[in-house]
Amino acid sequence: MKIKDLKVVYDAQAIAARVAEMGQEINRLYAGEDVVVVCVLKGAFMFFADLVRHLDMRPELDFVRVASYGASTATCGTVSFTKDVEVPLQGKHVLLVEDIVDTGHTVDFLFRQLAARGAKSLRLAALVDKQERRAVPVRVDFAGFALPGGFIVGYGLDYAERYRELPGIYEAVIEPEGA
Ligand code: IMP
Ligand code: MG
């Protein structure tokens, strides 16, 4: 696919306001607890960086990276770690921070893996929840925005590693085949 045009879906201001609200919700839930906040690279890097600046429970921060196999714009069932967490999760609350939950395969894999590490609880904050696209059930504890579908880029989200640097989120208008 080729991107022909970008249409603003959420501008930087709308994202900042929503991320601040999510930070307050998360603070209320975890007040006084030991929390490890885990960023799912690469897509969540910008959301994670903004979100953690609102957190007041002095969390430990860590990063994971997963690879999924299948079509370039949708995840199939095969997901594996290319970078695991480094912080021990035993007895701690774990908050996974993901960019988008689409089919749910990525988060389903991460939940299964991290659940086996003895965490006290496991929750998910996702910037965008594409609920209607779900193939496996996933509970999103903190959702930034809900979208029915479409392909979006910006604010960490890429198409072929480009557009991640954009401060807003844009819907990619795709060039029709053969155009
Ligand atoms: P899932 O495993 O199908 O839930 O896919 C989740 C992953 O697919 C996300 O972490 C994104 O990296 C990627 N993804 C899904 N939809 C989009 C999109 O609209 N733009 C960019 N990446 C996307
Ligand atoms: Mg991703």
Side-chain angles (χ1 to χ4, degrees), residues 73 100 102 128 130 133 147-153 170-172 174:
T73 57
I100 300 187
D102 187 35
V128 175
K130 287 187 185 170
R133 299 251 315 151
L147 279 180
F151 195 79
I152 53 175
V153 296
Y170 299 81
E171 167 139 31
I174 311 302

Side-chain angles (χ1 to χ4, degrees), residues 40 43 68 73-76 79 98-107 130 133-134 149-153 157-159:
V40 185
S68 47
T73 57
T75 308
C76 69
V79 184
E98 173 63 306
D99 53 0
I100 300 187
V101 185
D102 187 35
T103 64
H105 285 302
T106 304
V107 166
K130 287 187 185 170
R133 299 251 315 151
R134 215 52 53 77
F151 195 79
I152 53 175
V153 296
L157 302 166
D158 74 310
Y159 172 65

Side-chain angles (χ1 to χ4, degrees), residues 29-174:
L29 184 80
Y30 291 116
E33 303 274 1
D34 278 335
V35 184
V36 185
V37 186
V38 177
C39 175
V40 185
L41 293 170
K42 301 178 193 173
F45 85 95
M46 210 178 272
F47 172 44
F48 179 81
D50 285 342
L51 184 67
V52 297
R53 278 180 272 191
H54 293 286
L55 302 184
D56 59 15
M57 77 294 282
R58 193 73 73 223
E60 289 178 273
L61 304 185
D62 207 345
F63 300 82
V64 292
R65 179 144 163 70
V66 294
S68 47
Y69 304 94
S72 61
T73 57
T75 308
C76 69
T78 320
V79 184
S80 65
F81 275 115
T82 55
K83 189 216 166 293
D84 204 337
V85 283
E86 292 163 27
V87 164
L89 305 181
Q90 183 71 40
K92 298 168 190 167
H93 294 284
V94 175
L95 177 66
L96 200 61
V97 176
E98 173 63 306
D99 53 0
I100 300 187
V101 185
D102 187 35
T103 64
H105 285 302
T106 304
V107 166
D108 182 61
F109 167 81
L110 286 166
F111 265 36
R112 285 170 197 276
Q113 292 292 321
L114 300 183
R117 313 285 175 84
K120 212 168 170 181
S121 73
L122 196 48
R123 290 191 178 86
L124 173 67
L127 182 66
V128 175
D129 187 1
K130 287 187 185 170
Q131 214 170 357
E132 292 158 45
R133 299 251 315 151
R134 215 52 53 77
V136 282
V138 160
R139 192 192 67 242
V140 184
D141 300 281
F142 307 96
F145 301 102
L147 279 180
F151 195 79
I152 53 175
V153 296
Y155 196 66
L157 302 166
D158 74 310
Y159 172 65
E161 301 302 333
R162 297 189 197 272
Y163 306 103
R164 291 193 198 274
E165 79 287 2
L166 299 176
I169 294 178
Y170 299 81
E171 167 139 31
V173 181
I174 311 302

